[in-house]
Amino acid sequence: MTYDEKLRKQAYDAIENHQGMVKKDLYYPTYHIAPPVGLLNDPNGWIQWKGTYHLFFQWMPFHSGHGAKFWGHFSSEDLVNWTLEPIALTPSQWFDKSGCYSGSAVSVDEKLKLFYTGNVKNELGQRETYQCTAESVDGITFTKTGVKIDLPEGYTPHFRDPKVWAYKGRWYMVVGAQTDNEVGAVAFFESNDLDSWTHRGILTKADQDPLNNLGYMWECPDLLELNGQNVLLFSPQGLQADGIDFNNQYQSGYVVGKLDYEKAELSHGGFIELDRGFEFYAPQTTLDDYGRRILVAWMGVPDQNESAQPTIANGWVHQMTLPRELTLVDGKIYQTPLNEMEQLRACESIEQSVSKELATSISRGSEIQIEGEISTIELFNYTTLSYDKNTELLTMERPSYVDGSLETRSCRLPQGLYHLRIFVDHSSLEIFVNYGEEVFTSRIFADVFEDSIRVQGRVNVQAWDLKNDTIQVG
């Protein structure tokens, strides 16, 4: 048995031995992707290939902490029903023995090609990083094809998460990086064959306007086009909280501008947070066959009290967001649930006009739409969403799962609050505000038997119970 085969067997044994305990956890989601066992984090290799959507993910199958990551793999024909596929990558080679870290996927010559960061801790405990590839002819079984990029000069070994795309017959790559003087940056590469890469330089970094002091490391870059403009998504680490902004341990956001491919320069505006909730990180997008730019993110944040989440006791932690479509309106990204999410609806549970207050019960797997003059929504006697017309602030409040103290996240809505679309799963909320103007993504760990909802305002409320059998892991 090879080392790769041994790792795969150990991972499958972990699923077999612990899947029963995981699935019995009443916090385990019913329609969101979550690990079959262990820890899930960054989405990887997000792509529609030959009509099928493939979502790979960072996975630690042996415990609920971080470590030498695998690439797990889900696939879907419709973005609603997902199947767990065989393991795509294991940390089994000299160049990735300490973890197959995050990356992306492209289609070329009828093959699905993965780009990822090989993480190595050498004998002295020092980090080494390599940008590596693997490929498949069936989208299921992958063969590693080795190292394509060694660490360039000018960067520390915190150099990872390659995102690759094609433009006018050439291939391009961005990599999240830290410069030698410990400044977050995005490195830019070019290739004509996906094998030999030229380092074109730094597209943008944290010690230049308008991004001064924007952190010591930038992870998970993704450069895309929306409405004729270039958008750079990335996750900077090291930002200080500033009022209602940057209140998570690490952030995720974007800049909007224009990439000059010839000069390898990205001119852009300031940094905008992508999600205003408690748990959202490492977003990755793909352009599907219908021309939609679709985002998926990890519903978690590194080093943000992960070990305190109650699901740890049952052998799993974290989940993914639902896929969202991105559009750019007046320089701001709007995020909306895909039309396919309506297929999740099993039956309507509420349809009611409310003049002052509605107090009722709701399933822990629900979609809720509220329209009108919205004041306050309280869910499960645990989470409150309230809008203050005087301050123009929408605020989400929940008890900390560390010590129970109340904590908040907020955004400003100058045009007021007039529409909410909320997806409730057993331990998560995704709240789309004003048709995607803002989004709050968060985990919630209310009493598992609590089902109360209270809505205040002059509103129309509609809700649906959602399906609970859309994720197949065995």
Side-chain angles (χ1 to χ4, degrees):
M1 181 181 293
T2 66
Y3 186 50
D4 175 84
E5 292 169 336
K6 180 180 179 181
L7 287 174
R8 290 172 186 271
K9 183 180 184 305
Q10 291 173 343
Y12 293 135
D13 287 347
I15 295 176
E16 183 177 353
N17 293 335
H18 299 286
Q19 176 65 192
M21 180 174 67
V22 171
K23 293 290 283 186
K24 288 179 182 178
D25 189 342
L26 296 181
Y27 286 135
Y28 197 76
T30 60
Y31 61 93
H32 283 83
I33 287 175
V37 67
L39 177 144
L40 166 153
N41 57 302
D42 303 3
N44 297 158
W46 174 219
I47 192 172
Q48 187 184 22
W49 184 70
K50 295 186 176 182
T52 298
Y53 294 92
H54 295 266
L55 180 62
F56 303 85
F57 61 95
Q58 291 283 280
W59 183 36
M60 168 46 66
F62 305 131
H63 52 77
S64 299
H66 294 275
K69 300 292 177 61
F70 292 58
W71 272 38
H73 180 194
F74 280 93
S75 71
S76 176
E77 303 299 321
D78 59 8
L79 293 165
V80 173
N81 298 283
W82 294 87
T83 300
L84 182 67
E85 301 288 1
I87 294 165
L89 300 175
T90 66
S92 58
Q93 302 295 321
W94 68 266
F95 49 79
D96 61 15
K97 65 180 182 180
S98 302
C100 298
Y101 278 14
S102 294
S104 56
V106 295
S107 175
V108 60
D109 298 332
E110 296 296 309
K111 294 179 180 179
L112 181 57
K113 197 175 187 85
L114 307 182
F115 287 80
Y116 69 100
T117 297
N119 183 53
V120 174
K121 295 291 183 66
N122 64 26
E123 293 78 5
L124 300 177
Q126 300 167 326
R127 182 189 298 270
E128 300 173 5
T129 52
Y130 305 94
Q131 309 315 309
C132 312
T133 58
E135 61 186 29
S136 174
V137 296
D138 61 5
I140 301 299
T141 303
F142 291 85
T143 301
K144 293 179 183 178
T145 48
V147 176
K148 303 302 176 183
I149 299 175
D150 291 307
L151 181 66
E153 292 185 4
Y155 304 95
T156 75
H158 288 287
F159 190 87
R160 53 184 174 266
D161 313 332
K163 180 65 188 289
V164 178
W165 74 98
Y167 179 76
K168 292 186 176 180
R170 305 280 293 178
W171 293 98
Y172 295 91
M173 176 194 295
V174 285
V175 180
Q178 180 184 71
T179 65
D180 278 343
N181 58 341
E182 297 187 352
V183 167
V186 171
F188 186 50
F189 292 83
E190 183 178 4
S191 173
N192 62 6
D193 61 4
L194 292 175
D195 286 317
S196 299
W197 291 86
T198 300
H199 179 219
R200 298 288 307 279
I202 292 176
L203 281 186
T204 186
K205 56 180 180 172
D207 61 355
Q208 66 184 49
D209 289 334
L211 303 182
N212 281 327
N213 303 314
L214 203 70
Y216 56 77
M217 171 63 194
W218 289 0
E219 293 194 309
C220 304
D222 188 350
L223 202 147
L224 52 119
E225 185 174 309
L226 289 174
N227 197 22
Q229 297 189 71
N230 291 116
V231 176
L232 176 66
L233 305 182
F234 59 102
S235 297
Q237 298 184 332
L239 278 66
Q240 299 298 313
D242 182 12
I244 64 172
D245 298 325
F246 314 144
N247 282 282
N248 288 334
Q249 178 69 24
Y250 305 123
Q251 323 307 318
S252 291
Y254 63 97
V255 296
V256 179
K258 190 66 177 178
L259 172 60
D260 187 322
Y261 282 86
E262 293 297 322
K263 295 180 180 179
E265 294 177 355
L266 179 67
S267 57
H268 59 79
F271 180 76
I272 303 171
E273 281 188 86
L274 192 56
D275 192 286
R276 307 299 300 198
F278 291 92
E279 280 89 19
F280 180 94
Y281 196 74
Q284 186 171 118
T285 74
T286 192
L287 191 66
D288 79 351
D289 294 345
Y290 306 103
R292 302 178 297 182
R293 179 62 65 172
I294 303 175
L295 175 147
V296 175
W298 169 31
M299 203 181 291
V301 178
D303 305 325
Q304 187 169 287
N305 303 315
E306 295 173 84
S307 62
Q309 292 195 22
T311 66
I312 293 284
N314 286 316
W316 71 280
V317 67
H318 300 312
Q319 64 183 59
M320 292 295 184
T321 68
L322 293 176
R324 310 167 178 182
E325 184 173 3
L326 304 186
T327 54
L328 189 67
V329 180
D330 296 329
K332 179 179 177 61
I333 287 180
Y334 278 60
Q335 304 173 69
T336 52
L338 299 179
N339 292 336
E340 286 92 337
M341 297 306 101
E342 294 183 6
Q343 298 175 26
L344 285 167
R345 297 170 182 171
C347 62
E348 189 173 54
S349 57
I350 300 173
E351 185 173 13
Q352 189 167 338
S353 294
V354 179
S355 59
K356 185 176 180 180
E357 179 174 297
L358 169 68
T360 186
S361 61
I362 197 164
S363 167
R364 288 291 282 264
S366 295
E367 177 191 344
I368 309 163
Q369 293 199 48
I370 306 172
E371 186 170 14
E373 298 176 11
I374 305 168
S375 175
T376 304
I377 299 95
E378 184 181 279
L379 277 169
F380 310 135
N381 197 29
Y382 182 90
T383 300
T384 302
L385 196 70
S386 58
Y387 181 66
D388 187 322
K389 292 181 179 179
N390 295 321
T391 62
E392 300 178 340
L393 286 180
L394 176 64
T395 299
M396 180 180 183
E397 181 182 81
R398 74 172 187 192
S400 164
Y401 49 75
V402 177
D403 59 14
S405 61
L406 292 179
E407 51 187 2
T408 63
R409 297 290 185 269
S410 300
C411 72
R412 184 160 277 106
L413 298 175
Q415 305 305 315
L417 173 64
Y418 49 86
H419 187 269
L420 292 171
R421 188 174 179 186
I422 304 172
F423 286 85
V424 183
D425 212 332
H426 286 202
S427 59
S428 68
L429 289 177
E430 292 184 71
I431 304 171
F432 296 85
V433 180
N434 292 349
Y435 299 99
E437 178 184 352
E438 299 285 359
V439 186
F440 287 73
T441 300
S442 297
R443 302 302 302 276
I444 57 167
F445 296 106
D447 184 296
V448 294
F449 300 110
E450 178 64 61
D451 64 359
S452 65
I453 179 174
R454 184 168 61 93
V455 180
Q456 293 180 318
R458 190 177 183 87
V459 296
N460 293 316
V461 181
Q462 195 171 14
W464 297 264
D465 292 348
L466 300 185
K467 297 175 181 177
N468 61 8
D469 57 354
T470 62
I471 313 295
Q472 302 301 318
V473 298

